[in-house]
Amino acid sequence: MNAESDERTGDSADGQEAELGSRAPEFIKSRRGLHLSWQVGVFIVGLAVVGAGVVMLPLPGPGWLVIFGGMAIWATEFVWAQLVLRWTKRKVTEAAQRALDPKVRRRNIILTTVGLVIIAALLGVYLWKFGLVMPWKIDE
């Protein structure tokens, strides 16, 4: 997308044009100071949610889901977040379509089966060599 373009509309799921930009109520958009405060508040809340999602990536929790939730909060006010979410939705849809391709499904099933056979063989070798003893209790 050209950085100089002033595109304010895009395609929505139902084929109609979806407007880009602030979704704040009109009485907020009509007052510059109030709208700026609204944008700062939305940014801070979105940043807190995205930050929580980033923390959840290495820790237990739905990290990516929370990050996309924060992006959705930002998308209520900022065009750049709306464009990022639109791009992400398009890529996820393309990946889902590719995953449903019979050749890809067959390849994934074969790879999963080979991986499970390798894990089962390694587990069998471990049990044959050490029995049901945990690795930290092995006496050499």
Side-chain angles (χ1 to χ4, degrees):
M1 172 178 245
N2 187 357
E4 297 174 1
S5 70
D6 189 28
E7 181 186 29
R8 299 308 259 172
T9 61
D11 295 330
S12 66
D14 57 0
Q16 297 177 351
E17 296 292 315
E19 182 136 349
L20 295 176
S22 176
R23 293 190 180 102
E26 286 303 319
F27 75 92
I28 290 177
K29 286 197 274 188
S30 66
R31 293 165 181 83
R32 179 139 175 82
L34 189 57
H35 191 227
L36 185 61
S37 300
W38 178 270
Q39 286 180 326
V40 168
V42 167
F43 183 79
I44 290 172
V45 170
L47 185 64
V49 173
V50 168
V54 169
V55 168
M56 286 183 204
L57 287 176
L59 299 175
W64 284 111
L65 185 65
V66 174
I67 289 172
F68 289 129
M71 288 297 295
I73 291 170
W74 279 339
T76 64
E77 197 58 36
F78 303 107
V79 173
W80 61 267
Q82 293 168 1
L83 295 174
V84 168
L85 278 180
R86 184 178 294 163
W87 178 84
T88 303
K89 287 178 186 176
R90 188 172 52 245
K91 292 299 179 184
V92 167
T93 303
E94 290 172 7
Q97 291 300 321
R98 280 194 311 269
L100 294 176
D101 181 25
K103 290 180 182 177
V104 174
R105 289 185 69 201
R106 187 171 30 255
R107 183 199 67 201
N108 289 345
I109 289 171
I110 290 170
L111 288 174
T112 301
T113 304
V114 168
L116 289 174
V117 167
I118 290 171
I119 289 171
L122 291 173
L123 184 64
V125 167
Y126 176 84
L127 289 174
W128 173 70
K129 184 162 176 98
F130 300 108
L132 286 175
V133 178
M134 291 293 149
W136 51 87
K137 297 211 182 224
I138 295 177
D139 294 329
E140 293 186 24

